[in-house]
Amino acid sequence: MSILLVTASPRGESSLSTKLANDLANKLQARDGGDIVRRDVGANPLPHIDGVFAAAINKPADARNAAEADAVAISDKLVDELLAADSVVISTGLINFNISSALKAWIDNVARAGRTFSYTENGPVGLATGKKAYLVLASGGVYSEGPAAALNHAVPYVKTVLGFLGISQVEIIYVEGVAFGPEAAEKAIAAAIARAEELALAA
């Protein structure tokens, strides 16, 4: 079994989403064994999609110049990590009602026609099948339910793009309401830990 852990917080190990994602990945490993491949895009940001990359992916490998080859090589490595994983654990804070730009860059690099999805006469088909994903989402407010739920664009987006790639099983772990004082933060963390344990046992 292989677990891909993608963390996207600029706060490093002090990040609640990162801590919970690490904890979940470790629990999945303890249950099923295997290796954890760690990809910290918060500490080590990936290049955003640009003209060089856009041109490169539409050329045969032997027709790419050095810059184009480098751009595709990064993407290829990320795609290989995703395709090799049996489970994918992703963490991010809710930034302006969506995922962080660091995580978006990872998604843009792994969403590759011909590698993680393909277009057929019956429409697009995901190629990154046979795996389960977990999203750890941290936020100061409460966005899983209530009046602010409509502002949570992170969960629908991640589920949509992963589903497009063939990953239809996506579990969500919220660490929310942490800005409402120490007691609320403690309750939020405890609830997230309990949810992670529940999911790890059910894996």
Side-chain angles (χ1 to χ4, degrees):
M1 299 291 288
S2 175
I3 301 163
L4 174 60
L5 174 59
V6 183
T7 53
S9 175
R11 296 176 179 173
E13 294 302 317
S14 67
S15 159
L16 289 176
S17 65
T18 298
K19 287 180 179 178
L20 265 295
N22 271 290
D23 183 59
L24 175 57
N26 289 334
K27 284 181 168 64
L28 293 172
Q29 183 185 44
R31 176 185 168 87
D32 299 322
D35 299 320
I36 300 176
V37 176
R38 302 177 188 273
R39 175 63 65 174
D40 188 346
V41 299
N44 302 288
L46 297 167
H48 287 272
I49 299 305
D50 59 12
V52 173
F53 179 86
I57 60 174
N58 291 307
K59 292 181 180 180
D62 59 3
R64 295 168 185 155
N65 62 34
E68 292 169 343
D70 289 344
V72 175
I74 294 171
S75 175
D76 281 342
K77 182 173 178 57
L78 299 171
V79 169
D80 289 344
E81 290 175 351
L82 176 61
L83 293 177
D86 298 291
S87 299
V88 184
V89 179
I90 300 169
S91 70
T92 182
L94 188 69
I95 310 296
N96 296 321
F97 313 121
N98 213 321
I99 62 173
S100 69
S101 62
L103 182 56
K104 179 61 165 59
W106 178 80
I107 289 173
D108 289 342
N109 273 276
V110 299
R112 290 266 306 278
R115 297 222 53 200
T116 52
F117 70 92
S118 65
Y119 292 112
T120 73
E121 59 183 13
N122 297 317
V125 175
L127 302 177
T129 56
K131 51 189 99 265
K132 187 170 184 178
Y134 304 83
L135 173 65
V136 180
L137 183 65
S139 60
V142 174
Y143 293 89
S144 65
E145 59 185 9
L151 301 176
N152 178 359
H153 300 288
V155 169
Y157 172 71
V158 170
K159 284 187 171 182
T160 296
V161 74
L162 290 180
F164 188 81
L165 303 184
I167 305 171
S168 58
Q169 294 187 71
V170 184
E171 300 285 359
I172 311 300
I173 301 173
Y174 286 98
V175 193
E176 58 182 353
V178 297
F180 297 156
E183 184 177 347
E186 287 181 12
K187 288 182 178 179
I189 294 168
I193 291 173
R195 172 71 170 152
E197 290 176 347
E198 175 190 343
L199 291 172
L201 289 173

